[in-house]
Amino acid sequence: MSTSSGTNTGTSTDKVQKAETKLDQPLGQRNKATGGGKAKRVKQRLTSRWATFAAIVIAVIWTIPTFGLLVSSIRTPDEIRTTGWWNIFVSPSFTLENYAEVLTVSGASSANLGQYFVNSLVIAIPAALFPIALATMAAYAFAWIKFKGSGALFVLVFALQIVPLQMALVPLLQIFSGVLGISGTFPAVWIAHTIFGLPLCIFLLHNFISEIPGEVVEAARVDGANHTQIFFRIIIPLSLPALASIGIFQFLWVWNDLLVALVFSGGTADVAPLTQRLAELVGNFGRNTERLPAAAFISLIIPLIVFFSLQRYFVRGLLAGSTKG
Amino acid sequence: MSSTLRRRVLAPAAAVGALSLVLAGCAADTDEPGAGGDLDCSAYEAYGTFEGESVEVYATIVEVEADDLVTSWSDFEDCTGITIDYVGTQEAETQINVRAAAGDAPDLMIIPQPGLLQRLIADGYVEPAASSVEDNVDEFWSESWKGYGTVDGTFYAAPLLASVKGYIWYSPADFEENGYEIPTTWDEMIALTDQMTERNEGAYRPWCVGFGSGDATGWPGTDWVEDSVLRFAGPEAYDAWVAGELEFSSPEITDAIERVGEILLDPEYVNGGYGGVESIVSTTFNDGGLPILDGNCSMHHQASFYEAQWGEGVTVAPDGDIWAFITPPASADDGPAVTGGGEFVAAFNDREATSAVQTYLASDTWANNRVALGGVISANQGLDPSLASSQLGVQSIEILQNPDTVFRFDASDLMPAEVGTSSFWTGMVDWVSGTVTTDELTEFIDSTFP
Amino acid sequence: MADFLSDFAEKFGLMFLGLAAFAAVVGILLFLADRAPKRGRDVLQLLIFLLPAGILLTVGLIYPAVNTTVLSFFNRNSQEFVGFDNFVWMFTQPQIQITLLNTLVWVALVPTLSTIFGLAYAVFIDKSKGEKVLKSLVFMPMAISFVGAGIIWRFMYEYRAEGFSEQIGVLNQIIVWVGGEPQQFLQNSPWNTFFLIIVMVWIQTGFAMVLLSAAIKGVPVEIVEASRLDGANPWQTFWNVTVPGIRSTLVVVVTTISIATLKVFDIVRAMTGGNFDTSVVANEMYTQAFNRGEFGQGSALALVLFVMVLPIVVYNVRIMRKQKEIR
């Protein structure tokens, strides 16, 4: 963790090397200090034995619900129904029956998660990339292109976060079905997610991009670079950690979304994501109790992989604005 | 919403039905159409031919039942050239509001409750039914069923499938062992309950009840009240009640609710296997009757579709593990009276292909095709009861077709949404939770009538 | 299996096509900006950077917001102007009053608790052994969908009456072990709202923790050091140095969680369906507009949600202004 916080510059490419050297005074110093202070900091931690104890208590409390789900998912349907999952410690049992059932049993009445899993992926990847790309451009414009009304416009974008999705559904569907003719298809879901994700992405990315030292951008401008060049040579390389972390969050939000998918996917097995299938299984609560834990766990896999494999980006990426008072 | 949830439980029954059909197909020498490519299209000639046309049918029906639905019209598709695109999602009842408002309505929708149908008609989204649809409905359905699809004298939607409510499930073995008789009047039923309380011990109570059903929690309670109103206040009062002319706080309705309360609010009588009165709301309707299997309760009030809940290996038959009788009448002289539910097919445009499909779904041909696939019943008069996949199905169809049966549609489905899918449900929840008295309940529901 | 594979291939093909098309459009736009003629170049470049997002936002959010505002003054199917009737309805219906009150409780508690827990945890585990693992454990709920969380917590809150059956929910089992009576957590108002709020806090704490942890690491060590040399104890250092140092991150965290909380919908829907007095505005809005077809009342509720978020927006705008001045 701590090492990556000091290696922001390591992600940059040759192209920005020049800008980098100009830039690294303020930012670089900070990083060096952070990295170098590691050893001292260990001693100076606020933590005491009590703090460690409290941290462990929190970690345990936060983990128990998910752990219970995991344990439930490997118990037999009968056990799930009649006894609590902690009984597994008294009378151990293990079965993969539930997983086999929700994943591999084909036929209309099975959970059929495989197909929905593919849908979720096909929805979430573009729906995470599109808004990030557009938001980076907009955030750059707000941060580094001076124009009249820039501040007001940015406030407006920020305020758009509060528009309840529910109210945007009908007008948007009108456009998708009436004008574009794409309702119930993947592009409709992508566009919808892109729109709903933009305000927050622009807000978070603006926080980051506006903190890139002005000297760097100015220097490039003096060198005769136009906005497109600055955008590609300076902004994107320097924002990569932020892009990655915000991209991860956007991916998680899209992956876990139910409402948008419900309306714009048309709700069919051809397009609808995992969450919808899960919600349907919950609707059958009672009849499918034994399938639920396994199904829920399968829906967690991708987000967890994404999180664990990309978590080093969180550190630098979301640091935006943290050093300002 | 309630109907969506009710629908969801049907799937396993349909699976069993489909299986038995396959078995039957193996045993009998089949003259299934499509077997040799020589499909008999004579039954479908009247619908005409539509090359390359497609019709979208939207519904809450999913899984096995959806497959059966698609199978039930495959001959029709082959013969008429219409392609039917079936889109099934459990959220259809909610999503139709979005789709209709956005101008993205399907061609046809199978609507599981008249209240929603009437709202869509009132908002001008639904097209009046073509005359061919109306002819079929006149021929095969009773006047009252046609009435549910009619608004201000204009006929819009044809009925499709049905369910019989007010069954009381029990274990024939349990009754025989303990010398219980099937009650023939409501009072006998109360007496029988009293007799059963002798066995109260541990988790045993005479009745088991579950109201839980997500955001539709409370609807099983409305079914109880409806059965009681139909029996004690009579069919005319029932109709006036549905129409909002007879208030919940009127003596007739209050009396009917109190009779239900005699059972549901008495901790000596409920809730077998689950706890006291307060456990009714936290028990899902799916689980509600299952304690009968463990011997923790003796009776459970739920509609015909509850057959699907008993699970594999449980036989539902008069001499099987589980069977059901219709909630007994107020007095032994009263004729048979049942409440029931059903679904309707509404068209959102007047294309010829759309009405052809709508006409076909209202016919006896379709009803027989679909019921033969198992798991469902219909009130279509042209239906052959013996096609039903279970003994309960046969019995239910016979009840629906019996001209002497006093049939009334589920009242909460017919009432305005503010009441039928809202205050009536939540009122029942508060009532069994003990937070309101019967008088407060009726006053509250009356106050929500628009 | 073959079906599954071809389905898989087809959908992924479509996805790559979509990605390629998107890249091509954005690429061409930026290329145009690059090659723009000198005259009017600034305006053109600005437009190219802002317009894609601008158009989408106008169509997808601004227009609906305006539309909603208008609809809130009309009747259920938007045919008739009814003035303030929908708002009068909202503030006179006991059921909706409870809904509004619940929403206030949610927005007061969720950001506060999530931030406190997230910050405390971030501080406690900072630089400790196994920080990565400890972080992941608390972050995990963030990766779980609301629907999945609903499933998990229904198992936690499961109720069985005493003497009727063994407990299968952890919380009630613990209560029984210590000699208490099992509770119907989700049914007993008004406490059930708090038990729903716990689920949201459980999810959002991870978000707060990850951001705040990153921010804490960004606080220059020299300042911490200096404070220490001045004789401040760890608690004072935390309040006087760390907290001011991460203030703007705190604002981002609280803002983001507050907005997410005001929009919370899935948790309530999945766990109680809004029954037992647990409904919140976002859920009620959906119920009114889509379950009941009451678009007027639904829109009015949406408008109230706007108003509730307004203070948060105003506060953030002021912060942003200040930051601009600093720069």
Side-chain angles (χ1 to χ4, degrees), chain B residues 2-3 14 33 36 73 82 91 110-112 121 175 202 272 322 367 392 422 439:
Chain B
S2 65
S3 310
W73 58 50
I82 296 176
E91 297 292 331
I110 300 173
I111 298 176
I121 292 172
F175 269 47
I322 293 287
L392 192 86
S422 181
D439 288 338

Side-chain angles (χ1 to χ4, degrees), chain C residues 157-170:
Chain C
Y157 290 144
E158 194 76 46
Y159 161 81
R160 292 285 186 272
E162 209 170 7
F164 278 78
S165 153
E166 225 180 295
Q167 296 300 325
I168 66 170
V170 181

Side-chain angles (χ1 to χ4, degrees), chain C residues 22-316:
Chain C
F22 177 82
V25 170
V26 173
I28 289 171
L29 281 176
L30 288 170
F31 178 78
L32 286 178
D34 192 30
R35 295 294 147 91
K38 274 261 152 60
R39 227 164 56 103
R41 177 185 234 175
D42 285 349
V43 177
L44 188 72
Q45 288 187 331
L46 178 66
L47 285 182
I48 283 175
F49 275 94
L50 274 185
L51 267 192
I55 291 172
L56 286 175
L57 289 176
T58 309
V59 169
L61 289 173
I62 297 177
Y63 163 66
V66 173
N67 194 40
T68 302
T69 312
V70 174
L71 285 187
S72 66
F73 296 100
F74 280 78
N75 74 337
R76 48 177 301 265
N77 56 6
S78 322
Q79 300 297 316
E80 224 178 283
F81 182 79
V82 295
F84 284 92
D85 279 9
N86 293 323
F87 296 92
V88 172
W89 162 84
M90 188 186 315
F91 291 106
T92 52
Q93 280 277 317
Q95 206 57 43
I96 308 298
Q97 288 168 351
I98 293 174
T99 302
L100 292 169
L101 187 69
N102 283 344
T103 308
L104 291 178
V105 174
W106 274 81
V107 77
L109 288 183
V110 175
T112 319
L113 294 177
S114 307
T115 309
I116 290 175
F117 283 127
L119 181 58
Y121 193 73
V123 171
F124 292 159
I125 65 167
D126 192 39
K127 305 292 177 200
S128 70
K129 239 193 230 166
E131 179 178 345
K132 237 181 196 175
V133 176
L134 287 170
K135 241 183 196 173
S136 305
L137 288 179
V138 171
F139 184 80
M140 203 156 56
M142 186 72 204
I144 296 173
S145 63
F146 288 141
V147 182
I151 294 172
I152 290 175
W153 284 88
R154 271 166 76 156
F155 276 101
M156 291 288 288
Y157 290 144
E158 194 76 46
Y159 161 81
R160 292 285 186 272
E162 209 170 7
F164 278 78
S165 153
E166 225 180 295
Q167 296 300 325
I168 66 170
V170 181
L171 291 180
N172 271 321
Q173 180 67 70
I174 292 172
I175 289 178
V176 169
W177 274 333
V178 300
E181 228 177 85
Q183 297 297 311
Q184 297 187 297
F185 293 106
L186 296 178
Q187 278 79 30
N188 296 340
S189 170
W191 299 107
N192 48 5
T193 290
F194 291 93
F195 291 111
L196 293 184
I197 285 176
I198 287 177
V199 181
M200 187 69 170
V201 171
W202 179 70
I203 293 175
Q204 297 293 345
T205 298
F207 176 77
M209 181 267 298
V210 168
L211 263 74
L212 292 171
S213 167
I216 289 170
K217 289 179 196 308
V219 176
V221 175
E222 297 82 4
I223 310 181
V224 180
E225 189 89 348
S227 152
R228 188 61 58 94
L229 291 173
D230 286 349
N233 66 28
W235 185 246
Q236 287 166 331
T237 311
F238 174 73
W239 270 116
N240 300 331
V241 177
T242 312
V243 170
I246 60 172
R247 183 179 291 150
S248 62
T249 306
L250 275 173
V251 172
V252 171
V253 167
V254 171
T255 302
T256 313
I257 296 181
S258 300
I259 291 174
T261 303
L262 281 170
K263 290 173 157 184
V264 73
F265 156 83
D266 318 46
I267 291 181
V268 174
R269 207 156 188 87
M271 297 193 69
T272 64
N275 275 303
F276 318 113
D277 296 342
T278 56
S279 195
V280 292
V281 173
N283 179 63
E284 199 60 33
M285 176 177 24
Y286 188 84
T287 307
Q288 293 297 339
F290 301 132
N291 283 9
R292 312 238 169 96
E294 295 278 358
F295 282 97
Q297 294 174 357
S299 303
L301 285 164
L303 216 59
V304 168
L305 212 54
F306 278 111
V307 175
M308 284 180 165
V309 189
L310 219 54
I312 303 174
V313 175
V314 171
Y315 179 71
N316 269 275

